[in-house]
Amino acid sequence: MIIVLLGPPGAGKGTQGDLLATRLGIPKIATGDVLRVAIKDGSKRGLEAKAFMDRGDLVPDAVILGILQDVMTSPQTAKGAILDGAVRTVPQAEGVARTLEEVGRKVDYVLLFDVEDDELVARLGGRTVCQECQTPYMGKLPGDKCNKCGGRLVRRKDDEPEAIRNRLSVYREQTKPVIGWYEGSGMKVLRIDATGAVDEVTARAVKALGA
Ligand code: AP5
């Protein structure tokens, strides 16, 4: 089963992606996480991506499509995958559909997490993430330890106010059209109210998937 998670920055794609991955027994693939690891490792891909990410701009489609091509044709995703924030432009949606078609697969579900801008800004402004495993936290401070792996928590550079504003406008201009592209290609986009407690949001997503 291939599930695409759409939604603005801070909507909870990463949080819900982890929970759904555990529940469904398939991996979560987050291009943001893949890129942050590449930056930490100092790889060519990371060097290409860093300035775009720090500003809150999208990384060029060619870089993302290279990552998705590797991931979607690897044994790691043989049983399926949850694509977290991995499809953010129409060319990316087209590229993913083509890659999957070549290996006889398709996107099965698109979930759209919906949250008002004020709440998104509050969530991102208060977020820390583990610098080792990328788990996001609310209510913990930089320097605290990750509950999952003991790694150190840090603030993301793109969670500064200016980068947050840019990410929200990039979402509106470049990623929202992806919703129409999926609908136009006959796919039902499942809209999830992503406000309220984390487990309530998971329950809505599970119900929408019929899982
Ligand atoms: P990425 O890391 O994917 O960032 P994003 O899409 O901006 O999403 P976030 O990680 O900020 O938010 P989220 O929706 O995952 O929310 P989370 O669960 O963390 O991408 C970063 C950058 O990489 C991009 O800007 C771009 O440069 C590049 N990139 C990545 N993929 C790309 C692509 N395909 N094409 C081009 N460029 C790409 O939750 C947020 C906070 O809220 C957390 O603190 C969490 O604890 C909290 N929270 C979650 N749920 C709730 C709830 N129900 N109530 C209260 N708080 C909650």
Side-chain angles (χ1 to χ4, degrees), residues 7-16 30-33 35-36 49 52-54 56-61 64 68 84-89 92 119 123-124 126-129 136-138 156 158-159 167 194-199 201:
K13 303 179 296 295
T15 302
Q16 296 300 330
T31 37
D33 291 349
L35 292 167
R36 278 184 289 276
F52 292 97
M53 292 178 76
D54 286 351
D57 285 333
L58 294 185
V59 172
D61 287 339
I64 300 298
L68 293 174
D84 161 11
V87 183
R88 296 190 199 223
T89 65
Q92 289 178 18
E119 164 92 13
R123 286 186 187 182
L124 295 174
R127 171 168 68 179
T128 50
V129 296
Y137 290 93
M138 281 303 259
R156 274 172 45 175
D158 61 352
D159 281 345
R167 285 158 69 202
T195 56
V198 167
D199 56 352
V201 179

Side-chain angles (χ1 to χ4, degrees), residues 4-201:
V4 168
L5 304 188
L6 295 178
K13 303 179 296 295
T15 302
Q16 296 300 330
D18 283 335
L19 295 167
L20 292 172
T22 304
R23 186 177 176 113
L24 300 173
I26 53 177
K28 180 191 86 168
I29 309 293
T31 37
D33 291 349
V34 172
L35 292 167
R36 278 184 289 276
V37 169
I39 290 172
K40 200 160 162 249
D41 293 347
S43 72
K44 182 171 172 279
R45 192 176 262 168
L47 290 174
E48 272 174 11
K50 187 173 185 319
F52 292 97
M53 292 178 76
D54 286 351
R55 287 194 302 270
D57 285 333
L58 294 185
V59 172
D61 287 339
V63 176
I64 300 298
L65 287 170
I67 295 172
L68 293 174
Q69 170 97 31
D70 291 350
V71 166
M72 298 318 297
T73 54
S74 103
Q76 184 200 1
T77 59
K79 279 204 211 151
I82 296 180
L83 299 181
D84 161 11
V87 183
R88 296 190 199 223
T89 65
V90 169
Q92 289 178 18
E94 291 168 343
V96 167
R98 251 193 328 269
T99 301
L100 289 173
E101 199 180 349
E102 280 164 15
V103 291
R105 305 171 78 184
K106 64 176 178 52
V107 170
D108 297 289
Y109 295 97
V110 179
L111 291 185
L112 171 61
F113 291 107
D114 199 19
V115 178
E116 294 293 327
D117 277 10
D118 286 354
E119 164 92 13
L120 296 172
V121 171
R123 286 186 187 182
L124 295 174
R127 171 168 68 179
T128 50
V129 296
C130 174
Q131 66 178 0
E132 302 303 329
C133 73
Q134 317 274 337
T135 300
Y137 290 93
M138 281 303 259
K140 282 189 177 253
L141 297 173
D144 286 352
K145 293 270 182 282
C146 174
N147 294 345
K148 278 194 190 162
C149 75
R152 188 168 179 277
L153 303 191
V154 293
R155 294 236 335 122
R156 274 172 45 175
K157 201 159 181 183
D158 61 352
D159 281 345
E160 297 300 328
E162 195 180 329
I164 292 175
R165 274 195 298 277
N166 188 36
R167 285 158 69 202
L168 289 172
S169 90
V170 165
Y171 173 76
R172 278 190 291 273
E173 285 162 23
Q174 299 185 56
T175 305
K176 270 195 160 177
V178 173
I179 301 167
W181 185 86
Y182 276 118
E183 287 173 338
S185 60
M187 175 86 51
K188 187 164 163 33
V189 173
L190 304 169
R191 287 161 201 267
I192 310 294
D193 172 4
T195 56
V198 167
D199 56 352
E200 288 170 5
V201 179

